[in-house]
Amino acid sequence: MKKIILFAIIAVGFIACTSQKTNKGTATKTPIKTTTPANENMAQGKVLFENNCGKCHDLPTVEKFNDEKWKSIVDWMAPKAKLTSQQADMVYLYVSNSN
Ligand code: HEC
């Protein structure tokens, strides 16, 4: 009788190990979402840009300036638009990827 119980325990343990391995296998197949945070920040930057940067003047044309120019424009305008530095970074991420 004891042998059967012992066998059952080993069998359960073995099944548990095998199924864990299968789970790991499928997990690595799932694509890692490394690009998601950047995309989300960009999308948020677009919203921030559209909502905050057309208040005092027309919404600036994104293509009109290069990255370097945008860097100084965002540094200059973010306090005017009362953006946090994090929000300013998102706006910069959006404009520098869309010009
Ligand atoms: C509180 C008002 C205000 C807000 C909000 C504001 N701006 Fe401005 N912006 C100005 C003023 C005033 C000028 C004109 C400055 C000048 O010509 O001396 C200007 C000028 C500009 C220019 C023109 C620069 C050039 O060389 O032609 C750009 C581009 C610009 N802003 C971008 C932005 C962006 C991007 C945002 C959002 C982060 C923003 N602005 C938010 C007031 C604002």
Side-chain angles (χ1 to χ4, degrees):
M1 192 59 188
K2 264 190 182 166
K3 267 187 187 167
I4 293 169
I5 292 168
L6 195 66
F7 177 75
I9 290 168
I10 292 167
V12 167
F14 181 73
I15 290 163
C17 281
T18 335
S19 57
Q20 221 172 19
K21 267 184 196 157
T22 358
N23 281 344
K24 267 187 193 162
T26 42
T28 44
K29 273 180 200 164
T30 320
I32 304 155
K33 296 176 179 176
T34 43
T35 52
T36 309
N39 287 343
E40 274 172 16
N41 284 343
M42 240 180 91
Q44 218 175 322
K46 184 178 195 288
V47 172
L48 285 165
F49 178 77
E50 287 168 354
N51 289 344
N52 295 287
C53 305
K55 281 182 186 167
C56 307
H57 42 67
D58 288 341
L59 201 62
T61 312
V62 177
E63 295 86 11
K64 217 172 138 186
F65 306 99
N66 63 22
D67 290 0
E68 208 181 319
K69 199 86 210 287
W70 267 122
K71 184 80 198 135
S72 50
I73 291 168
V74 172
D75 282 350
W76 176 32
M77 289 294 147
K80 285 187 191 289
K82 296 188 167 62
L83 298 182
T84 64
S85 64
Q86 214 183 356
Q87 290 172 321
D89 285 347
M90 289 177 193
V91 169
Y92 177 70
L93 190 71
Y94 163 67
V95 292
S96 61
N97 279 288
S98 314
N99 58 355

